[in-house]
């Protein structure tokens, strides 16, 4: 019986040892599982943080890329401006071909009428020439009793005889000269005619338009510088300010 008790005791002790060993193994397994869970959780936390950091970096990059994108249009505009400037410069470099327009103005404008040169004039009185034209060589004056130039011609005419205009024109002046008496000046354009030793009666008025052959006055004896000569009309002709010989242009 003692031997059986011993065997029972041994078996009980062995069972206890076995159960203790199993318990130790079980607890070890639990501890390993917990350790694995903790490690997994820690690694998961690290992974999450890394992902969050990566997300922040990605967001920051996206923000920067958006800012860069916002800046890109200005760069494009400046590039477009440069392209337009280059195009304008190229346009300016292209040689301009000047095309002369047809001269229509000459066709529209009436042709210039050339002034007809006056070659002949009418004789203001019909008498003979008593004293010739002499603008360079002096001639003797009976009245003044000296030698002097004679800028016109003296045409014989009786006192009261009518004096006629030599050309169409306008009366420029009517006045009394101290030496040559009553004077009428008529403007004919390029030519000017001067009639002197007239009578103050029946004299034409200044500013009047006159025709060739129209009476402008009558012969008088008002020229004190030629009072000793026979009754006559003193007649002068000027082209501009140059004295001309009227005898060369009489019809």
């Amino acid at each position: 019986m003692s031997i059986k008790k011993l065997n029972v005791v041994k078996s009980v002790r062995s069972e206890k040892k076995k159960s203790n060993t199993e318990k130790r193994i079980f607890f070890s397994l639990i501890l390993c599982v917990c350790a694995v869970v903790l490690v997994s959780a820690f690694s998961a936390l690290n992974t999450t943080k890394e992902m969050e950091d990566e997300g922040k970096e990605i967001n920051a990059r996206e923000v920067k890329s958006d800012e860069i994108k916002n800046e890109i249009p200005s760069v494009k505009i400046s590039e477009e401006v440069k392209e337009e400037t280059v195009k304008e410069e190229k346009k300016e470099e292209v040689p301009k071909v000047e095309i002369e327009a047809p001269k229509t103005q000459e066709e529209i404008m009436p042709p210039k009428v050339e002034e007809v040169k006056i070659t002949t004039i009418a004789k203001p009185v019909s008498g003979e020439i008593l004293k010739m034209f002499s603008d360079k060589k002096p001639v003797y004056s009976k009245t003044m009793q000296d030698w002097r130039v004679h800028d016109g011609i003296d045409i014989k005419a009786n006192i009261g005889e009518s004096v006629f205009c030599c050309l169409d024109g306008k009366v420029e002046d009517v006045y009394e000269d101290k030496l040559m008496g009553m004077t009428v000046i008529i403007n004919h354009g390029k030519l000017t005619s001067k009639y002197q030793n007239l009578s103050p009666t029946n004299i034409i008025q200044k500013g009047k338009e006159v025709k060739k052959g129209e009476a402008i006055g009558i012969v008088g004896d008002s020229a004190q510088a030629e009072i000793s000569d026979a009754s006559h009309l003193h007649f002068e002709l000027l082209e501009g300010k140059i004295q001309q010989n009227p005898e060369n242009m009489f019809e």
Side-chain angles (χ1 to χ4, degrees):
M1 287 297 291
S2 59
I3 293 168
K4 286 183 181 180
K5 285 181 181 179
L6 288 168
N7 290 330
V8 169
V9 171
K10 287 179 181 179
S11 62
V12 169
R13 286 178 180 176
S14 62
E15 287 292 330
K16 284 182 180 180
K17 287 180 181 179
K18 188 177 180 181
S19 63
N20 289 332
T21 303
E22 289 177 353
K23 284 179 181 178
R24 287 175 184 173
I25 292 167
F26 179 74
F27 284 118
S28 297
L29 288 172
I30 289 171
L31 290 171
C32 289
V33 169
C34 289
V36 169
V37 170
L38 290 172
V39 170
S40 299
F42 183 74
S43 62
L45 287 171
N46 290 333
T47 304
T48 304
K49 286 183 179 179
E50 289 176 357
M51 290 178 68
E52 287 178 356
D53 293 337
E54 288 178 358
K56 288 179 180 178
E57 289 179 0
I58 290 167
N59 290 331
R61 288 176 185 173
E62 288 178 353
V63 170
K64 287 183 180 179
S65 63
D66 291 337
E67 291 176 356
I68 292 167
K69 285 179 182 178
N70 291 330
E71 292 177 357
I72 286 170
S74 63
V75 174
K76 286 183 179 178
I77 290 167
S78 62
E79 288 177 354
E80 290 175 359
V81 171
K82 287 180 180 179
E83 288 178 358
E84 289 179 359
T85 306
V86 171
K87 287 179 181 178
E88 289 178 358
E89 289 177 355
K90 286 182 179 178
K91 287 180 181 179
E92 290 177 358
E93 289 175 358
V94 176
K96 293 181 181 179
V97 180
E98 294 183 357
I99 300 172
E100 291 185 0
K103 295 180 180 179
T104 55
Q105 189 175 0
E106 292 182 358
E107 297 177 358
I108 296 170
M109 293 293 290
K112 292 182 179 180
V113 179
E114 294 183 0
E115 293 184 8
V116 179
K117 187 176 180 180
I118 300 169
T119 55
T120 59
I121 60 174
K123 202 172 180 181
V125 288
S126 59
E128 62 178 311
I129 296 172
L130 299 176
K131 190 181 288 187
M132 302 291 185
F133 174 80
S134 179
D135 63 335
K136 293 178 181 179
K137 186 178 179 180
V139 293
Y140 185 73
S141 171
K142 290 182 182 179
T143 304
M144 306 303 292
Q145 296 182 358
D146 62 6
W147 294 82
R148 61 181 61 197
V149 295
H150 195 240
D151 291 332
I153 58 173
D154 291 343
I155 307 172
K156 185 178 180 180
N158 296 322
I159 294 174
E161 187 176 336
S162 295
V163 177
F164 303 99
C165 180
C166 67
L167 278 174
D168 294 354
K170 184 177 182 180
V171 179
E172 191 174 278
D173 205 357
V174 178
Y175 64 97
E176 187 170 1
D177 186 87
K178 289 182 179 180
L179 294 176
M180 298 304 297
M182 203 67 197
T183 302
V184 172
I185 297 176
I186 299 176
N187 190 331
H188 309 284
K190 283 190 174 183
L191 295 176
T192 302
S193 57
K194 185 185 287 187
Y195 310 78
Q196 293 183 304
N197 196 29
L198 298 174
S199 171
T201 57
N202 298 325
I203 199 81
I204 198 166
Q205 296 298 313
K206 179 181 177 180
K208 185 179 178 183
E209 299 282 347
V210 288
K211 296 291 183 182
K212 180 181 179 179
E214 184 178 343
I216 60 168
I218 59 175
V219 176
D221 57 355
S222 59
Q224 297 301 313
E226 295 182 347
I227 195 69
S228 297
D229 296 330
S231 177
H232 66 278
L233 169 72
H234 180 87
F235 178 68
E236 295 182 13
L237 190 67
L238 297 91
E239 185 172 356
K241 292 183 179 181
I242 301 172
Q243 296 285 346
Q244 304 293 322
N245 185 358
E247 193 178 357
N248 294 335
M249 298 183 68
F250 284 151
E251 295 175 342

